[in-house]
């Protein structure tokens, strides 16, 4: 399979998975207000300015876009591959300053034209991109000089000595770990950001290990697909519940860490 065919296949699967996920995704959000809080955490970490313009890449069903608009009075253009997520987002985001469009985050300039944004943000989406360099090349072009690109990332589940508790959970379940948890890992995404912005800053949001939260988070069809690839949704969900139930005794010792990276477009970047 050529690289282009591989990338297209990944994107088709991502769009299908999220098309199936939008209701469960929203139910999860109603229970935890999680993606809202993660978007605000990212915004605070990068000192996002009130009233600024944001390109929200992988905007999903508009939770991050609405959070940024409601808290920081931002105007937001959201782009997402999934038709169903965008349709749900258009219901959620009624403010005229928010616009959500179905499209590929690797082809941002085609979508936004020559508009320059103050920020390009990826809230829990960049790790799903098969070609992180392509999307960041596009983001830089959509950013004004001095503007910022930032992403929040897939969770790490860590123990007292920073050991990877996800691996511990698989071992206890008696199943092999998937070869890849994410399509693009944090180091690769960070290096690609550094190549475009020079020095970048890293931030973290650490939360206590909450087994119920992890079971709900990874029960979203699109999230469970990477943990138990090749299995039907019902089976994946059962395995996810068992997987994290194995960490009950780690509750007081572990934490869930959400990483955030931030870069600035310097004047020299074309
Ligand atoms: C975990 S959701 C996050 C949604 C939203 N940012 C939020 O905070 O609720 C990740 C989203 O990234 C989108 N996505 C993944 N790859 C994409 C791509 N190449 N172009 C546009 N969107 C993409 C998915 O369709 C999905 O809706």
């Amino acid at each position: 399979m050529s690289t282009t065919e591989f990338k297209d296949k990944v994107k088709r699967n991502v769009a299908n998975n999220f098309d199936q996920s939008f209701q469960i995704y929203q139910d999860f959000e109603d229970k935890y207000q999680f993606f809202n809080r993660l978007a605000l955490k990212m915004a605070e970490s990068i000192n996002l300015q009130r009233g600024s313009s944001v390109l929200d890449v992988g905007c999903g069903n508009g939770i991050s876009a609405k959070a940024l608009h409601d808290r920081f009075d931002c105007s937001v253009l959201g782009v997402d591959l999934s038709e169903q997520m965008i349709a749900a987002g258009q219901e959620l985001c009624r403010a005229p300053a928010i616009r959500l469009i179905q499209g590929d985050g690797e082809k941002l300039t085609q979508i936004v034209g020559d508009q320059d944004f103050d920020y390009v943000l990826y809230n829990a989406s960049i790790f799903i991109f098969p070609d992180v360099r392509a999307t960041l090349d596009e983001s830089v072009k959509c950013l004004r000089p001095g503007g910022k690109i930032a992403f929040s990332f897939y969770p790490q589940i860590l123990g007292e000595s920073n050991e990877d508790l996800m691996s511990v959970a698989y071992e206890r379940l008696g199943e092999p770990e998937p070869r890849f948890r994410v399509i693009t890992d944090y180091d690769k995404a960070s290096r690609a950001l550094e190549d475009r912005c020079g020095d970048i800053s890293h931030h973290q949001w650490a939360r206590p290990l909450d087994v119920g939260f992890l079971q709900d988070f990874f029960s979203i069809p699109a999230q469970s697909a990477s943990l138990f690839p090749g299995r039907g949704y019902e089976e994946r969900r059962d395995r996810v519940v068992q997987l994290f139930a194995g960490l009950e005794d780690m509750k007081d010792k572990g934490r869930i860490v959400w990483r955030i990276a931030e870069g600035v477009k310097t004047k020299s970047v074309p």
Side-chain angles (χ1 to χ4, degrees):
M1 195 186 299
S2 73
T3 315
T4 311
E5 282 167 347
F6 171 74
K7 276 171 44 175
D8 288 346
K9 186 175 168 202
V10 168
K11 287 191 254 181
R12 267 197 313 278
N13 287 344
V14 167
N16 285 340
N17 278 329
F18 278 97
D19 278 347
Q20 281 174 34
S21 294
F22 74 95
Q23 191 54 56
I24 298 179
Y25 198 91
Q26 188 58 52
D27 293 345
F28 170 83
E29 187 65 13
D30 290 343
K31 186 167 172 186
Y32 294 102
Q33 290 80 53
F34 170 72
F35 288 99
N36 174 303
R37 291 163 73 195
L38 183 63
L40 295 177
K41 203 76 204 169
M42 171 164 59
E44 284 159 16
S45 302
I46 67 171
N47 193 24
L48 184 134
Q49 299 298 298
R50 280 190 70 76
S52 48
S53 60
V54 176
L55 178 57
D56 180 3
V57 186
C59 64
N61 56 346
I63 295 163
S64 39
K66 186 169 187 325
L68 297 170
H69 174 70
D70 291 354
R71 175 69 62 87
F72 293 97
D73 198 23
C74 291
S75 57
V76 186
L77 175 60
V79 175
D80 200 282
L81 276 181
S82 159
E83 214 175 303
Q84 297 292 340
M85 291 290 267
I86 288 290
Q90 285 164 344
E91 286 293 307
L92 182 74
C93 302
R94 298 300 194 145
I98 306 178
R99 212 155 58 91
L100 307 182
I101 300 177
Q102 196 222 340
D104 184 352
E106 289 179 9
K107 299 186 179 139
L108 294 168
T109 42
Q110 278 178 22
I111 300 166
V112 308
D114 53 10
Q115 202 180 334
D116 275 351
F117 291 83
D118 298 317
Y119 298 89
V120 181
L121 302 181
Y122 299 77
N123 194 42
S125 62
I126 203 161
F127 49 82
I128 315 170
F129 280 69
D131 190 344
V132 71
R133 296 188 164 270
T135 185
L136 289 178
D137 279 340
E138 288 285 286
S139 312
V140 168
K141 288 180 194 153
C142 298
L143 202 59
R144 68 164 169 80
K148 286 184 179 176
I149 300 177
F151 57 78
S152 61
F153 213 74
Y154 188 84
Q156 290 179 302
I157 307 164
L158 300 177
E160 278 176 319
S161 320
N162 283 337
E163 69 276 26
D164 176 11
L165 294 184
M166 185 83 101
S167 293
V168 172
Y170 274 100
E171 206 177 305
R172 290 179 172 183
L173 186 69
E175 286 226 19
E177 285 189 53
R179 266 180 68 215
F180 305 104
R181 290 180 198 168
V182 289
I183 295 168
T184 291
D185 69 27
Y186 188 79
D187 289 344
K188 188 172 178 184
S190 296
R191 276 197 307 274
L193 187 57
E194 263 165 7
D195 286 348
R196 280 143 192 87
C197 296
D199 285 344
I200 65 172
S201 309
H202 299 275
H203 313 273
Q204 287 197 347
W205 183 35
R207 311 278 306 142
L209 196 159
D210 175 341
V211 167
F213 171 88
L214 289 172
Q215 288 170 327
D216 287 341
F217 179 81
F218 285 102
S219 288
I220 297 171
Q223 321 281 26
S224 59
S226 61
L227 294 191
F228 296 101
R231 307 206 193 164
Y233 173 58
E234 299 293 326
E235 189 190 345
R236 293 202 311 261
R237 201 189 46 200
D238 290 348
R239 298 309 275 160
V240 160
V241 170
Q242 288 166 22
L243 177 72
F244 293 108
L247 295 180
E248 274 294 346
D249 62 321
M250 299 281 186
K251 267 199 319 221
D252 300 327
K253 302 176 195 139
R255 63 200 194 283
I256 309 175
V257 177
W258 304 88
R259 288 163 292 176
I260 294 164
E262 147 191 26
V264 180
K265 176 175 174 174
T266 56
K267 289 205 167 56
S268 56
V269 177

